[in-house]
Each structure stands twice: as structure tokens, then as C-alpha cells.
Amino acid sequence: MMANPQSPTPPESPTPTPLSIRQTHGTRPLTKDTVVLVVEDNVSNFVLIARLLGYLGVHCEWKTSGYEVAEFADSLPKVDLILMDIRLPYEDGYGALRKIRQSPRFRNVPVIAVTAEASLEQMNKARQAGFDGFLGKPLDPDRFPDQIKRILNGESVWELS
């Protein structure tokens, strides 16, 4: 089910289209087959996210930078959700998001900004860049499972903490 790297990709639209407007393939209910790609350079943050996702029975994959994240995601058999830190080495979350959105395979996969730069200004910047949601750090372990469930059910989640 991997995308053919030889197939042409349609040109990127000039303005990003939020998930709530993009045509989606329904909701992605939590199952043992749910896969979340976590793009996070801080090991402690990744461990927390991985444990919280594990509590939900969700499998996660990890990439430590935005560099070549689209290629890495394409090597995975399935991706239901991408949690993307904004401040990453080599290529930030905004650059990685642009590359992910160029792949037809990931156009309808929600990409959520997860950042310690949690302010209304950063949230608005993430929204304008085309992220599908925003979770401010530090993540709240009591709220995070519900936030992930809501996102996978198609709800738009924009929360500072």
C-alpha cells in the first residue's frame, strides 16, 4: 500500500486547507492497529507521549527531526496521526508539514502541532501553516488520552495546555 514514488503529485494549493474542510475518509477509531508518528527531538517528551499512547493501546513510531519525515512516514505501512513538535533540529515542524502535505497519501492524515511555545500567537501561526490542531506543552497526562481520541474521531483540538 505504499505510494508509488514515480507517480506525479498535484501542485500544492496556495493556502492550506484545515482538516475540518478537507475531504476526509471518516474517523479513525482507536484500535490496536492505530499508528501515530511522533516527531519529537526530546527523549523525555517522546517517552511520555509513547507511554500515554501505549496506555491507549496505540502503536507509535518516532522520528527525532523534521528532516526527511515525509520519506520516513512513507516507509510505514500505515499512519493515522502525526504529532509534530515545532522546534526540531535540521528542519522545523513547519517545513516538515509542507513536505508531508505534498504527499497524496498523507493529505487527510491529521498533523497536530505539539510545542512548548504554547501561546495564542503560536497557535494562530500553526493554524495558518495548515496544522490540524495544537497541543501545548507540557502535555497534561490526564487530558492527553481524551485529546487523542477526539482528534482521531475527527474533532479539531486546539489547546494551549
Short mmCIF file of all heavy atoms in Angstrom, two decimals, residues 8-57:
data_model
loop_
_atom_site.label_atom_id
_atom_site.label_comp_id
_atom_site.label_asym_id
_atom_site.label_seq_id
_atom_site.Cartn_x
_atom_site.Cartn_y
_atom_site.Cartn_z
N PRO A 8 3.18 11.29 -10.27
CA PRO A 8 3.26 12.73 -10.09
C PRO A 8 2.34 13.18 -8.96
O PRO A 8 1.30 12.59 -8.71
CB PRO A 8 2.79 13.28 -11.44
CG PRO A 8 1.93 12.20 -12.02
CD PRO A 8 2.48 10.90 -11.48
N THR A 9 2.76 14.23 -8.28
CA THR A 9 1.92 14.79 -7.23
C THR A 9 1.31 16.08 -7.74
O THR A 9 1.97 16.87 -8.42
CB THR A 9 2.74 15.08 -5.95
OG1 THR A 9 3.80 15.97 -6.28
CG2 THR A 9 3.29 13.82 -5.35
N PRO A 10 0.04 16.30 -7.42
CA PRO A 10 -0.60 17.53 -7.87
C PRO A 10 0.05 18.73 -7.20
O PRO A 10 0.62 18.60 -6.13
CB PRO A 10 -2.06 17.37 -7.41
CG PRO A 10 -2.13 16.13 -6.63
CD PRO A 10 -0.83 15.45 -6.68
N PRO A 11 -0.01 19.90 -7.81
CA PRO A 11 0.61 21.07 -7.21
C PRO A 11 -0.05 21.41 -5.89
O PRO A 11 -1.25 21.19 -5.69
CB PRO A 11 0.39 22.18 -8.25
CG PRO A 11 -0.68 21.67 -9.15
CD PRO A 11 -0.68 20.18 -9.07
N GLU A 12 0.74 21.95 -4.98
CA GLU A 12 0.26 22.33 -3.66
C GLU A 12 -0.67 23.54 -3.80
O GLU A 12 -0.38 24.45 -4.58
CB GLU A 12 1.47 22.69 -2.77
CG GLU A 12 1.12 22.97 -1.34
CD GLU A 12 0.72 21.72 -0.59
OE1 GLU A 12 0.84 20.61 -1.12
OE2 GLU A 12 0.26 21.86 0.54
N SER A 13 -1.76 23.53 -3.08
CA SER A 13 -2.66 24.67 -3.13
C SER A 13 -2.00 25.85 -2.43
O SER A 13 -1.22 25.67 -1.51
CB SER A 13 -3.99 24.32 -2.47
OG SER A 13 -3.80 24.06 -1.10
N PRO A 14 -2.29 27.08 -2.85
CA PRO A 14 -1.62 28.24 -2.29
C PRO A 14 -1.92 28.46 -0.82
O PRO A 14 -1.11 28.96 -0.09
CB PRO A 14 -2.11 29.41 -3.14
CG PRO A 14 -3.31 28.91 -3.87
CD PRO A 14 -3.22 27.42 -3.90
N THR A 15 -3.11 28.11 -0.37
CA THR A 15 -3.44 28.26 1.05
C THR A 15 -3.79 26.90 1.62
O THR A 15 -4.51 26.13 0.99
CB THR A 15 -4.64 29.22 1.25
OG1 THR A 15 -5.72 28.77 0.46
CG2 THR A 15 -4.28 30.64 0.89
N PRO A 16 -3.27 26.59 2.82
CA PRO A 16 -3.56 25.30 3.41
C PRO A 16 -5.04 25.18 3.76
O PRO A 16 -5.69 26.15 4.10
CB PRO A 16 -2.69 25.27 4.67
CG PRO A 16 -2.24 26.66 4.90
CD PRO A 16 -2.41 27.41 3.62
N THR A 17 -5.55 23.98 3.64
CA THR A 17 -6.94 23.72 3.94
C THR A 17 -7.03 22.94 5.24
O THR A 17 -6.47 21.86 5.34
CB THR A 17 -7.59 22.89 2.82
OG1 THR A 17 -7.34 23.55 1.58
CG2 THR A 17 -9.08 22.75 3.02
N PRO A 18 -7.70 23.51 6.27
CA PRO A 18 -7.80 22.79 7.54
C PRO A 18 -8.52 21.46 7.37
O PRO A 18 -9.33 21.28 6.47
CB PRO A 18 -8.62 23.74 8.42
CG PRO A 18 -8.61 25.05 7.73
CD PRO A 18 -8.37 24.79 6.27
N LEU A 19 -8.21 20.53 8.27
CA LEU A 19 -8.80 19.19 8.23
C LEU A 19 -10.32 19.25 8.24
O LEU A 19 -10.99 18.47 7.58
CB LEU A 19 -8.30 18.36 9.42
CG LEU A 19 -8.80 16.94 9.49
CD1 LEU A 19 -8.25 16.14 8.32
CD2 LEU A 19 -8.38 16.29 10.79
N SER A 20 -10.89 20.23 8.97
CA SER A 20 -12.35 20.30 9.06
C SER A 20 -12.98 20.59 7.71
O SER A 20 -14.13 20.27 7.49
CB SER A 20 -12.76 21.38 10.07
OG SER A 20 -12.22 22.63 9.68
N ILE A 21 -12.20 21.17 6.78
CA ILE A 21 -12.73 21.49 5.46
C ILE A 21 -12.31 20.44 4.44
O ILE A 21 -13.04 20.15 3.51
CB ILE A 21 -12.25 22.89 5.02
CG1 ILE A 21 -12.77 23.94 6.00
CG2 ILE A 21 -12.70 23.21 3.61
CD1 ILE A 21 -12.20 25.32 5.78
N ARG A 22 -11.10 19.87 4.63
CA ARG A 22 -10.63 18.86 3.68
C ARG A 22 -11.56 17.66 3.69
O ARG A 22 -12.14 17.31 4.70
CB ARG A 22 -9.22 18.38 4.08
CG ARG A 22 -8.15 19.33 3.71
CD ARG A 22 -6.81 18.64 3.70
NE ARG A 22 -6.48 17.99 4.93
CZ ARG A 22 -5.70 18.49 5.87
NH1 ARG A 22 -5.21 19.68 5.74
NH2 ARG A 22 -5.42 17.81 6.94
N GLN A 23 -11.65 17.02 2.54
CA GLN A 23 -12.44 15.80 2.45
C GLN A 23 -11.67 14.70 3.18
O GLN A 23 -10.50 14.45 2.90
CB GLN A 23 -12.65 15.42 0.99
CG GLN A 23 -13.57 14.25 0.82
CD GLN A 23 -13.77 13.95 -0.64
OE1 GLN A 23 -12.93 14.22 -1.49
NE2 GLN A 23 -14.92 13.38 -0.95
N THR A 24 -12.31 14.07 4.13
CA THR A 24 -11.65 13.02 4.90
C THR A 24 -12.32 11.68 4.63
O THR A 24 -13.40 11.62 4.06
CB THR A 24 -11.70 13.31 6.41
OG1 THR A 24 -13.07 13.34 6.81
CG2 THR A 24 -11.03 14.62 6.75
N HIS A 25 -11.67 10.64 5.05
CA HIS A 25 -12.20 9.29 4.86
C HIS A 25 -12.85 8.80 6.14
O HIS A 25 -12.67 7.67 6.55
CB HIS A 25 -11.07 8.35 4.43
CG HIS A 25 -10.42 8.76 3.16
ND1 HIS A 25 -11.05 8.65 1.94
CD2 HIS A 25 -9.21 9.30 2.90
CE1 HIS A 25 -10.25 9.11 1.00
NE2 HIS A 25 -9.14 9.50 1.55
N GLY A 26 -13.58 9.66 6.81
CA GLY A 26 -14.25 9.27 8.05
C GLY A 26 -13.32 9.38 9.23
O GLY A 26 -12.25 9.94 9.16
N THR A 27 -13.76 8.86 10.34
CA THR A 27 -12.95 8.94 11.55
C THR A 27 -12.01 7.76 11.62
O THR A 27 -12.15 6.77 10.91
CB THR A 27 -13.86 8.96 12.80
OG1 THR A 27 -14.63 7.75 12.80
CG2 THR A 27 -14.78 10.16 12.79
N ARG A 28 -11.03 7.89 12.49
CA ARG A 28 -10.03 6.85 12.70
C ARG A 28 -10.18 6.36 14.13
O ARG A 28 -9.51 6.87 15.01
CB ARG A 28 -8.64 7.41 12.46
CG ARG A 28 -8.40 7.90 11.05
CD ARG A 28 -7.14 8.75 11.02
NE ARG A 28 -6.78 9.12 9.67
CZ ARG A 28 -7.27 10.17 9.03
NH1 ARG A 28 -8.13 10.95 9.60
NH2 ARG A 28 -6.87 10.43 7.81
N PRO A 29 -11.07 5.40 14.38
CA PRO A 29 -11.26 4.96 15.76
C PRO A 29 -10.00 4.29 16.30
O PRO A 29 -9.19 3.75 15.55
CB PRO A 29 -12.41 3.95 15.66
CG PRO A 29 -12.38 3.49 14.24
CD PRO A 29 -11.85 4.64 13.43
N LEU A 30 -9.83 4.38 17.61
CA LEU A 30 -8.70 3.74 18.25
C LEU A 30 -8.83 2.23 18.18
O LEU A 30 -9.84 1.67 18.59
CB LEU A 30 -8.63 4.14 19.74
CG LEU A 30 -7.98 5.47 20.04
CD1 LEU A 30 -8.09 5.75 21.53
CD2 LEU A 30 -6.55 5.49 19.61
N THR A 31 -7.83 1.60 17.60
CA THR A 31 -7.78 0.15 17.57
C THR A 31 -6.34 -0.25 17.86
O THR A 31 -5.44 0.60 17.91
CB THR A 31 -8.17 -0.42 16.18
OG1 THR A 31 -7.16 -0.08 15.23
CG2 THR A 31 -9.52 0.11 15.73
N LYS A 32 -6.10 -1.54 17.99
CA LYS A 32 -4.73 -2.00 18.22
C LYS A 32 -3.86 -1.74 17.00
O LYS A 32 -2.64 -1.78 17.08
CB LYS A 32 -4.71 -3.47 18.60
CG LYS A 32 -5.19 -4.41 17.51
CD LYS A 32 -5.18 -5.85 17.98
CE LYS A 32 -5.78 -6.74 16.92
NZ LYS A 32 -4.86 -7.57 16.26
N ASP A 33 -4.49 -1.42 15.86
CA ASP A 33 -3.75 -1.14 14.63
C ASP A 33 -3.50 0.35 14.40
O ASP A 33 -2.91 0.73 13.40
CB ASP A 33 -4.50 -1.70 13.43
CG ASP A 33 -4.64 -3.21 13.51
OD1 ASP A 33 -3.74 -3.87 14.05
OD2 ASP A 33 -5.67 -3.73 13.04
N THR A 34 -3.97 1.21 15.32
CA THR A 34 -3.77 2.65 15.17
C THR A 34 -2.28 2.96 15.29
O THR A 34 -1.61 2.49 16.20
CB THR A 34 -4.56 3.42 16.25
OG1 THR A 34 -5.96 3.12 16.10
CG2 THR A 34 -4.36 4.92 16.11
N VAL A 35 -1.77 3.77 14.35
CA VAL A 35 -0.36 4.14 14.35
C VAL A 35 -0.24 5.66 14.39
O VAL A 35 -0.83 6.37 13.57
CB VAL A 35 0.36 3.60 13.09
CG1 VAL A 35 1.80 4.07 13.05
CG2 VAL A 35 0.28 2.09 13.03
N VAL A 36 0.55 6.14 15.35
CA VAL A 36 0.82 7.56 15.49
C VAL A 36 2.31 7.77 15.26
O VAL A 36 3.13 7.11 15.90
CB VAL A 36 0.40 8.08 16.88
CG1 VAL A 36 0.80 9.54 17.05
CG2 VAL A 36 -1.10 7.90 17.09
N LEU A 37 2.64 8.68 14.37
CA LEU A 37 4.03 9.07 14.16
C LEU A 37 4.30 10.28 15.04
O LEU A 37 3.63 11.31 14.93
CB LEU A 37 4.28 9.41 12.69
CG LEU A 37 5.65 10.02 12.35
CD1 LEU A 37 6.80 9.13 12.82
CD2 LEU A 37 5.74 10.31 10.86
N VAL A 38 5.26 10.14 15.95
CA VAL A 38 5.64 11.22 16.86
C VAL A 38 6.96 11.80 16.36
O VAL A 38 7.96 11.08 16.27
CB VAL A 38 5.79 10.70 18.30
CG1 VAL A 38 6.21 11.83 19.24
CG2 VAL A 38 4.51 10.03 18.78
N VAL A 39 6.94 13.08 16.02
CA VAL A 39 8.16 13.77 15.58
C VAL A 39 8.57 14.69 16.73
O VAL A 39 7.96 15.73 16.95
CB VAL A 39 7.93 14.55 14.27
CG1 VAL A 39 9.24 15.11 13.75
CG2 VAL A 39 7.26 13.66 13.22
N GLU A 40 9.58 14.24 17.47
CA GLU A 40 9.95 14.89 18.73
C GLU A 40 11.44 14.65 18.98
O GLU A 40 11.89 13.50 18.95
CB GLU A 40 9.11 14.30 19.88
CG GLU A 40 9.52 14.70 21.26
CD GLU A 40 9.37 16.18 21.53
OE1 GLU A 40 8.22 16.68 21.50
OE2 GLU A 40 10.39 16.83 21.80
N ASP A 41 12.19 15.72 19.23
CA ASP A 41 13.63 15.57 19.44
C ASP A 41 14.00 15.37 20.91
O ASP A 41 15.11 14.94 21.20
CB ASP A 41 14.39 16.76 18.87
CG ASP A 41 14.04 18.08 19.53
OD1 ASP A 41 12.85 18.28 19.87
OD2 ASP A 41 14.94 18.91 19.70
N ASN A 42 13.10 15.63 21.82
CA ASN A 42 13.39 15.49 23.25
C ASN A 42 12.97 14.09 23.71
O ASN A 42 11.78 13.75 23.65
CB ASN A 42 12.64 16.58 24.03
CG ASN A 42 12.92 16.52 25.51
OD1 ASN A 42 12.54 15.56 26.18
ND2 ASN A 42 13.59 17.54 26.01
N VAL A 43 13.94 13.31 24.17
CA VAL A 43 13.68 11.92 24.54
C VAL A 43 12.63 11.83 25.66
O VAL A 43 11.73 10.99 25.61
CB VAL A 43 14.99 11.20 24.96
CG1 VAL A 43 14.70 9.80 25.46
CG2 VAL A 43 15.95 11.16 23.80
N SER A 44 12.74 12.69 26.66
CA SER A 44 11.77 12.65 27.78
C SER A 44 10.35 12.91 27.30
O SER A 44 9.41 12.25 27.74
CB SER A 44 12.15 13.68 28.85
OG SER A 44 13.40 13.39 29.39
N ASN A 45 10.20 13.87 26.39
CA ASN A 45 8.86 14.15 25.86
C ASN A 45 8.35 12.97 25.05
O ASN A 45 7.17 12.61 25.13
CB ASN A 45 8.89 15.40 24.98
CG ASN A 45 9.04 16.68 25.77
OD1 ASN A 45 8.74 16.72 26.97
ND2 ASN A 45 9.51 17.72 25.13
N PHE A 46 9.23 12.36 24.24
CA PHE A 46 8.80 11.20 23.47
C PHE A 46 8.38 10.06 24.38
O PHE A 46 7.35 9.42 24.15
CB PHE A 46 9.89 10.71 22.51
CG PHE A 46 9.52 9.38 21.90
CD1 PHE A 46 8.52 9.30 20.96
CD2 PHE A 46 10.13 8.22 22.33
CE1 PHE A 46 8.13 8.07 20.42
CE2 PHE A 46 9.76 6.98 21.81
CZ PHE A 46 8.76 6.91 20.85
N VAL A 47 9.15 9.79 25.43
CA VAL A 47 8.82 8.69 26.35
C VAL A 47 7.45 8.93 26.97
O VAL A 47 6.62 8.01 27.06
CB VAL A 47 9.92 8.51 27.42
CG1 VAL A 47 9.46 7.58 28.53
CG2 VAL A 47 11.20 7.99 26.78
N LEU A 48 7.17 10.16 27.39
CA LEU A 48 5.86 10.48 27.96
C LEU A 48 4.75 10.22 26.94
O LEU A 48 3.77 9.54 27.23
CB LEU A 48 5.80 11.93 28.43
CG LEU A 48 4.42 12.42 28.87
CD1 LEU A 48 3.94 11.66 30.11
CD2 LEU A 48 4.44 13.92 29.13
N ILE A 49 4.93 10.73 25.73
CA ILE A 49 3.91 10.55 24.68
C ILE A 49 3.73 9.07 24.36
O ILE A 49 2.61 8.57 24.25
CB ILE A 49 4.28 11.35 23.41
CG1 ILE A 49 4.17 12.85 23.70
CG2 ILE A 49 3.39 10.96 22.24
CD1 ILE A 49 4.75 13.74 22.61
N ALA A 50 4.85 8.34 24.24
CA ALA A 50 4.77 6.91 23.91
C ALA A 50 4.04 6.14 25.01
O ALA A 50 3.24 5.24 24.72
CB ALA A 50 6.18 6.34 23.71
N ARG A 51 4.30 6.47 26.26
CA ARG A 51 3.61 5.78 27.37
C ARG A 51 2.12 6.09 27.37
O ARG A 51 1.30 5.21 27.60
CB ARG A 51 4.24 6.17 28.70
CG ARG A 51 5.56 5.51 28.93
CD ARG A 51 6.12 5.81 30.28
NE ARG A 51 7.36 5.09 30.46
CZ ARG A 51 8.15 5.23 31.49
NH1 ARG A 51 7.82 6.06 32.47
NH2 ARG A 51 9.26 4.54 31.59
N LEU A 52 1.79 7.35 27.13
CA LEU A 52 0.37 7.72 27.11
C LEU A 52 -0.35 7.07 25.93
O LEU A 52 -1.49 6.62 26.07
CB LEU A 52 0.22 9.25 27.07
CG LEU A 52 0.68 9.99 28.33
CD1 LEU A 52 0.71 11.49 28.09
CD2 LEU A 52 -0.22 9.63 29.51
N LEU A 53 0.31 7.00 24.79
CA LEU A 53 -0.29 6.33 23.64
C LEU A 53 -0.38 4.82 23.90
O LEU A 53 -1.37 4.18 23.53
CB LEU A 53 0.51 6.60 22.37
CG LEU A 53 0.43 8.03 21.83
CD1 LEU A 53 1.43 8.23 20.69
CD2 LEU A 53 -0.98 8.38 21.39
N GLY A 54 0.64 4.26 24.55
CA GLY A 54 0.63 2.85 24.90
C GLY A 54 -0.53 2.51 25.82
O GLY A 54 -1.16 1.46 25.70
N TYR A 55 -0.82 3.43 26.74
CA TYR A 55 -1.96 3.26 27.64
C TYR A 55 -3.26 3.13 26.84
O TYR A 55 -4.17 2.39 27.22
CB TYR A 55 -2.03 4.45 28.60
CG TYR A 55 -3.31 4.54 29.39
CD1 TYR A 55 -3.54 3.71 30.48
CD2 TYR A 55 -4.29 5.46 29.05
CE1 TYR A 55 -4.71 3.79 31.21
CE2 TYR A 55 -5.47 5.55 29.77
CZ TYR A 55 -5.67 4.71 30.84
OH TYR A 55 -6.84 4.80 31.56
N LEU A 56 -3.31 3.83 25.71
CA LEU A 56 -4.50 3.76 24.84
C LEU A 56 -4.45 2.55 23.91
O LEU A 56 -5.38 2.32 23.15
CB LEU A 56 -4.60 5.03 23.99
CG LEU A 56 -4.91 6.32 24.72
CD1 LEU A 56 -4.75 7.51 23.79
CD2 LEU A 56 -6.31 6.28 25.29
N GLY A 57 -3.34 1.81 23.93
CA GLY A 57 -3.19 0.67 23.03
C GLY A 57 -2.76 1.07 21.64
O GLY A 57 -2.93 0.31 20.68
#
